[in-house]
Each structure stands twice: as structure tokens, then as C-alpha cells.
Amino acid sequence: MTLRPLRFCWRILYNAVSHYFRDSGSAFASHIALSGLMALFPFLIFATSLASFIGARAYTQQSVNALLKMLPDAIAGPIVKEVVNVMTIQRGGLLTISVIGTAYFASNGVEALRTALNRAYRVVDRRSLFFCRFQSLFFVIVGTIGLMVISFLLVLAPLVINILQHDYPVIGQYVGTIRFWRYAIAVVVLLISLLIAHKWLPAGKRKLADILPGIGVTMVVWVLASMLFAQYLATFANYVSTYAGLASIMVAIIFLYMLSAIFILGGEINAAIMFYRNRQQQPGQLVRAIEQKEEKEEGLKQQNNDGQNDHTVVS
């Protein structure tokens, strides 16, 4: 009985990894990494413009800096510096062509995720181009609003902790640090983002139980990979000798590529589990194809047996 789960896990992992390499998963990981990096600053421009319009600009800057500083120092350092430069520039009104354009270019990162997930889940997206693009723009707007909500929580959580510790000193030993709250909020945001991406971005319909395994693997492997990559950068890596002044940019791209590959593998794992559980979109056709193949093989065997019998009788 103990071998069955191990055999099932091995089949899932083998199916997911083999399909990842067979279907050019590395190329799509590069596409996501580059598109994500290019979409980051248009998204921040749009987010700060919207935040300024409703009077929440300072909170948004604080939350972005707090979230980016959770990355390894070698990656967060150059990105945070440029993000601060982008977010501190004063811009005009919200409803301008430039801001609408930044929202459009920010949605390119969402489209890259959609393309990779469609390949990972082995589905063909027949939805209209306009629907997909408007959905991506909608997710950009929702992400911006979510960023402002996170901003409020990151500012509110430390204040609540200080008030509780001042009025009820006993609670101090049970209340986590501000750093814990930042990580807790980041984990919740990451979980919600992955749920939305796997549930609605690719074509087809999937139940919540179908996408949770890959999301869980993605989150765990992301944390481990980030820790190992940070340790590698601090101990062994010397990108300056290879890429000179572009070292910080290359480190960020390599890190995003690694996270993108893990993200795609999460979708591959979900697809492999659904395949072995016969939860594909057209399971009846799959079963009929297998039955027809077995019937054909049995027919060929029967024909061979009849031919051998006829040859024996003639002899």
C-alpha cells in the first residue's frame, strides 16, 4: 500500500517534468521573466497614478518597498532603487493616454502568464483576443487596488501591535514582530494571486481541488529556491566578472526565470494529476480512444493467431 502513493507521485512528477521540457517550458519561463520585468514599471506607474488620484500614494510606495525588500538583497537592491525613482516622480491626471498605455503594457505580463499556463494545462485558448486583453487589464486594476489594500494593512498592523502592547503588556509575548506581519501578508497575497492565475487565466474550467496541489508545490519550492539562490549569490556567484555593469540586471532576470519555471511546473503538476484522475475536459474521448486502441491490438492478435492456425491446417 505504501508503494502506490510513491508510484503515483513519481508518475505525476515524471509526466510534469517531461511535458515541461517537451513543450518548450524553458522558453516560456524566459518569456514570463522578461515580460514580467518589462511590465513591472508600467504597473508601478499606473498604481502610483491611481493611488495619487485617491490620496493613497505614500502608502503604496511604502508597501512596494516592503514587499520588494523581502527578496534577496542582491536582487532587491537595484530593483528597489529604480522603483523609488519611478514612484517619486509626480505625474498629472489619472485619465491620460500615457497612464492608459502603461496599464496596457502592464497587462503584457499577465498575457505571458496566460500563454504559459495554457501550454502547461495542455489546452487551446479559443477565447477572443479582446476578452483576454480586457481580462488582463481587469487583473492589473484589481492588482493595483490589492496593492493599496496591502499598503493599508502594512501601515495598520504595526499600529495595532503597538496599541495592544501598550494597553495589554501581557499580549506582547504572543504578538509577532512587524516582519512576521509583512511575511504573512505577502504569503496571503501570493496565495490569492496564484489562485486567480490558475483558476481564470488559462482556458477551460478547473475545480479548486484541481489547482491546489500545484499552487502548494509552487509556494514551497519558491521559498526554498529563493533561500538557496540568495545563499548561492552570497557564497559562490560572481556575476560582476561575467556581466560587468549589467550584473544586477542579470541577477534579477535569472531569479525571475527561476521563479517562472517553478510557476509553470506548478501548472504541469496540476495537469498531470488531472490526467491520471481522468479529469480532463473530454475524458469520454480519452477513454474511447484507449478502448479503441486496445480493441485494435486484440484484433491484430486474433488475426495473427488465425493466420497461424490456417498455416498449421494447410501444412
Side-chain angles (χ1 to χ4, degrees):
M1 295 295 293
T2 56
L3 292 178
R4 288 185 178 180
L6 293 177
R7 188 181 297 114
F8 179 76
C9 292
W10 167 251
R11 288 181 178 178
I12 295 300
L13 183 61
Y14 178 80
N15 183 290
V17 174
S18 61
H19 187 269
Y20 171 83
F21 287 105
R22 186 171 61 251
D23 210 31
S24 304
S26 298
F28 283 98
S30 301
H31 176 50
I32 293 176
L34 185 59
S35 299
L37 189 61
M38 294 179 65
L40 174 62
F41 294 100
F43 171 75
L44 293 176
I45 293 172
F46 177 76
T48 51
S49 299
L50 182 60
S52 299
F53 182 74
I54 63 176
R57 182 186 182 92
Y59 295 141
T60 303
Q61 293 181 14
Q62 183 176 355
S63 66
V64 170
N65 292 335
L67 291 173
L68 290 177
K69 286 179 181 178
M70 295 177 189
L71 299 174
D73 294 336
I75 300 166
I79 295 180
V80 169
K81 180 180 178 181
E82 299 304 325
V83 166
V84 171
N85 293 334
V86 169
M87 300 184 71
T88 52
I89 297 175
Q90 296 291 334
R91 294 180 176 85
L94 172 67
L95 298 178
T96 62
I97 296 178
S98 60
V99 173
I100 296 174
T102 58
Y104 174 83
F105 287 113
S107 67
N108 290 338
V110 181
E111 288 298 313
L113 296 178
R114 185 198 308 279
T115 303
L117 285 177
N118 281 330
R119 300 296 290 268
Y121 282 105
R122 304 139 200 214
V123 295
V124 178
D125 202 336
R126 303 187 185 280
R127 295 171 294 183
S128 67
L129 178 63
F130 293 102
F131 172 83
C132 293
R133 180 58 69 171
F134 277 113
Q135 187 187 52
S136 299
L137 289 171
F138 174 75
F139 285 152
V140 169
I141 296 174
V142 171
T144 302
I145 297 174
L147 182 64
M148 287 184 283
V149 173
I150 296 170
S151 308
F152 178 73
L153 292 176
L154 287 173
V155 174
L156 179 63
L159 294 177
V160 173
I161 292 174
N162 292 333
I163 293 174
L164 290 175
Q165 288 179 341
H166 182 267
D167 296 337
Y168 306 97
V170 181
I171 299 179
Q173 57 182 334
Y174 302 103
V175 179
T177 60
I178 298 176
R179 189 177 183 84
F180 167 79
W181 281 105
R182 287 178 176 175
Y183 278 106
I185 294 172
V187 169
V188 172
V189 171
L190 178 60
L191 177 60
I192 295 175
S193 301
L194 288 174
L195 285 172
I196 293 174
H198 284 269
K199 181 69 175 176
W200 287 293
L201 274 185
K205 295 181 180 179
R206 283 155 297 277
K207 299 178 181 178
L208 187 62
D210 294 332
I211 62 177
L212 284 178
I215 291 176
V217 172
T218 300
M219 294 187 67
V220 172
V221 179
W222 266 356
V223 173
L224 295 177
S226 299
M227 295 172 60
L228 292 175
F229 189 68
Q231 186 64 29
Y232 167 73
L233 290 176
T235 307
F236 302 105
N238 186 13
Y239 285 93
V240 175
S241 61
T242 305
Y243 298 106
L246 298 176
S248 59
I249 298 177
M250 293 306 302
V251 168
I253 292 177
I254 292 172
F255 181 72
L256 291 175
Y257 170 81
M258 179 180 65
L259 297 185
S260 301
I262 298 171
F263 172 79
I264 296 174
L265 281 173
E268 295 282 5
I269 289 174
N270 288 336
I273 293 175
M274 288 189 288
F275 173 80
Y276 282 107
R277 289 179 178 177
N278 293 327
R279 288 185 179 176
Q280 290 182 318
Q281 293 180 350
Q282 298 175 343
Q285 293 184 5
L286 177 63
V287 173
R288 285 194 296 272
I290 295 174
E291 291 177 349
Q292 291 174 0
K293 182 179 179 181
E294 292 176 350
E295 291 175 357
K296 184 177 180 180
E297 292 176 352
E298 291 178 359
L300 292 174
K301 291 181 181 178
Q302 186 65 32
Q303 290 178 3
N304 292 333
N305 293 333
D306 292 342
Q308 293 177 359
N309 294 335
D310 293 340
H311 179 72
T312 303
V313 170
V314 170
S315 300

